[in-house]
Amino acid sequence: MPSQRHPPDGLAEKLAHELHVHQIELESQNEELRRTKSDLSAARDRYQDLFDFAPVGYFTLNRDGVIQECNLTGAILLGEHRTALKGCRFSRFVSPADCDGWHLFTRKVLGADGPHRIELALLRAGSQDAWHGQIDCQQMALPGQEPTLWVTLTDVTARVLADFDQRVAALDADARELERHRVALELHEDLGQRLSALKMELVSLAPCEKSEVYRERLGGLLASLDDAVSTVRRITQDLRPPMLNDLGLAAAIEWLVHDTARRVDLSFTLSLDAVAPDMGEQTRLALYRFVQQAVALLVFDAGSIELHIGTHCAPGRFVLVLRSRWQCKAKPGTTPLEPEAARILEHRARAMGGRLVIDLPRDPLVWIHLELVMPLAKPQDTDAEHGDTR
């Protein structure tokens, strides 16, 4: 009878120990896999939420422009449930006036690499009211799959309407400025010449009468005519100062301040850069109108008694500084300039494309400080800039 072979002593215990160690390692690896799966699931949910609730609409279109996938924001923008959007052509939501543009755009995207952008008038499901969307599109070709179009849709209706309002305001400002120019020419060429001719007629009648009463009345009439001619000249300058184009912005500002000081009790200083800034006619006129309104608000409305105006030309920008101080009898703690007036100046600065900084002290004895920084474009570009030139 053959003898049985027994394992060496301790071998069973050693195998059991190794199996136990492997079991622990497998359990640890299994726990790590479960944790990784949970993290991946949480990350997937987060990215799904980011995808669905992004501030823009995301769409995936096939080559024929059929929607294959979209996020929740995109469905809201198009006014349709996203399950109903799958299988629909995106062109269904494009305004009929822009359908040809959309068709040519998709052909361009499919024929060239890189992102492409277009703005279209779009329609929501069940509505004929158009809104404006910006579409960023790029062709994507994954291995083994047909090329698709990745589309990002952004609602830019507010921006488009704001741009439209700005263009209308610019056209309106140009129309008002042309009207000012026409009225100034009529005052200067018609009324001014009529008054001058009338004065000459009166002067020619002077030797015909030696009466003292006659000479006194004639002197009064001549003085009144001189005042009328001076008033016409001042109104003409206010409407459209000819020196603005002939002598530049600094000369026009200097004339404006001197004329204001002549009419009211105003102490002023000027520190105007002698170097003429490189700007177009529209920008120069808008800056003059800004100074004109600022001086009117500071001096005539708020009653300033001291005024300083300075200009400085730097590369690519023009800096205008206005400093003003109010009457000593004003009560401490009161605002020297009304908030509404400050908002008017800020609005005008933004309309010109500039930035206005206003320092309004609570003490009327302290100087108020206004600083306008105006970026300057190239001369050929400035004709397209328009400010509110009221």
Side-chain angles (χ1 to χ4, degrees):
M1 182 176 181
S3 61
Q4 293 181 341
R5 300 181 62 184
H6 296 282
D9 294 340
L11 181 59
E13 290 80 358
K14 184 178 180 181
L15 292 174
H17 176 71
E18 290 180 357
L19 289 173
H20 182 65
V21 171
H22 285 303
Q23 181 184 6
I24 294 175
E25 290 178 353
L26 290 173
E27 290 177 352
S28 177
Q29 292 175 3
N30 190 36
E31 180 64 27
E32 183 66 23
L33 287 173
R34 284 197 297 267
R35 186 164 52 252
T36 302
K37 180 181 178 181
S38 177
D39 292 342
L40 289 174
S41 178
R44 180 199 63 195
D45 293 340
R46 287 197 300 271
Y47 283 112
Q48 183 67 34
D49 290 341
L50 289 174
F51 176 76
D52 282 335
F53 298 104
V56 296
Y58 293 128
F59 296 86
T60 302
L61 312 180
N62 63 12
R63 294 179 61 89
D64 297 327
V66 176
I67 300 174
Q68 297 179 330
E69 188 178 3
C70 73
N71 67 343
L72 184 60
T73 303
I76 294 174
L77 287 174
L78 297 184
E80 186 67 273
H81 197 277
R82 58 178 168 180
T83 57
L85 287 175
K86 293 182 179 180
C88 293
R89 289 184 176 273
F90 189 85
S91 58
R92 167 190 166 191
F93 302 95
V94 178
S95 173
D98 286 346
C99 280
D100 291 341
W102 167 248
H103 176 67
L104 295 174
F105 175 73
T106 54
R107 290 181 57 184
K108 178 181 178 181
V109 174
L110 291 171
D113 295 332
H116 302 269
R117 174 175 292 181
I118 191 174
E119 291 187 7
L120 299 172
L122 302 174
L123 301 174
R124 291 185 172 86
S127 175
Q128 295 300 319
D129 296 331
W131 58 283
H132 298 275
Q134 174 183 293
I135 296 177
D136 295 275
C137 186
Q138 185 172 0
Q139 180 184 196
M140 299 299 296
L142 300 178
Q145 297 183 10
E146 289 290 330
T148 57
L149 301 179
W150 286 6
V151 175
T152 301
L153 176 61
T154 307
D155 187 353
V156 294
T157 304
R159 178 178 62 78
V160 171
L161 293 179
D163 291 343
F164 177 77
D165 291 341
Q166 187 175 10
R167 289 194 298 270
V168 171
L171 293 174
D172 181 60
D174 288 344
R176 288 197 303 271
E177 198 58 44
L178 288 174
E179 180 65 15
R180 284 193 183 98
H181 188 52
R182 184 189 64 80
V183 174
L185 286 177
E186 289 185 359
L187 285 174
H188 181 267
E189 301 295 337
D190 187 10
L191 183 58
Q193 292 187 6
R194 286 175 181 269
L195 291 174
S196 298
L198 182 59
K199 180 179 179 180
M200 294 175 63
E201 288 290 333
L202 289 176
V203 170
S204 66
L205 294 176
C208 300
E209 181 62 52
K210 304 299 182 180
S211 170
E212 185 68 25
V213 176
Y214 171 81
R215 287 195 296 270
E216 290 180 359
R217 293 184 62 184
L218 181 61
L221 290 175
L222 292 175
S224 298
L225 281 175
D226 289 337
D227 291 341
V229 171
S230 177
T231 302
V232 169
R233 186 180 299 111
R234 178 176 58 81
I235 295 175
T236 303
Q237 294 280 359
D238 286 340
L239 287 173
R240 184 75 178 217
M243 66 182 64
L244 184 62
N245 294 330
D246 298 337
L247 301 178
L249 181 63
I253 293 177
E254 184 175 357
W255 172 86
L256 174 67
V257 176
H258 277 87
D259 183 71
T260 303
R262 182 181 59 82
R263 287 184 282 164
V264 298
D265 185 14
L266 176 67
S267 174
F268 68 90
T269 57
L270 298 175
S271 178
L272 305 177
D273 199 329
V275 179
D278 188 12
M279 63 178 68
E281 180 182 355
Q282 291 291 341
T283 303
R284 183 167 54 248
L285 181 59
L287 283 169
Y288 176 78
R289 294 301 183 199
F290 177 86
V291 176
Q292 189 180 39
Q293 185 166 25
V295 170
L297 290 174
L298 296 174
V299 176
F300 295 108
D301 294 348
S304 172
I305 60 172
E306 294 184 68
L307 181 68
H308 169 78
I309 299 181
T311 61
H312 173 66
C313 298
R317 62 175 183 163
F318 175 79
V319 181
L320 171 69
V321 176
L322 292 94
R323 298 176 65 244
S324 179
R325 189 161 60 178
W326 269 252
Q327 298 177 4
C328 299
K329 64 181 181 180
K331 296 181 180 179
T334 59
T335 304
L337 187 64
E338 293 295 330
E340 183 65 26
R343 284 194 292 269
I344 291 174
L345 295 178
E346 290 174 346
H347 171 74
R348 184 181 288 273
R350 286 195 302 271
M352 294 189 299
R355 177 175 56 88
L356 179 65
V357 178
I358 302 179
D359 182 15
L360 292 176
R362 303 297 298 181
D363 188 351
L365 299 180
V366 179
W367 288 82
I368 183 178
H369 184 87
L370 289 82
E371 182 174 305
L372 172 67
V373 180
M374 183 74 181
L376 297 179
K378 296 179 180 179
Q380 61 266 27
D381 297 334
T382 52
D383 289 340
E385 297 178 0
H386 298 273
D388 181 7
T389 54
R390 283 183 298 174

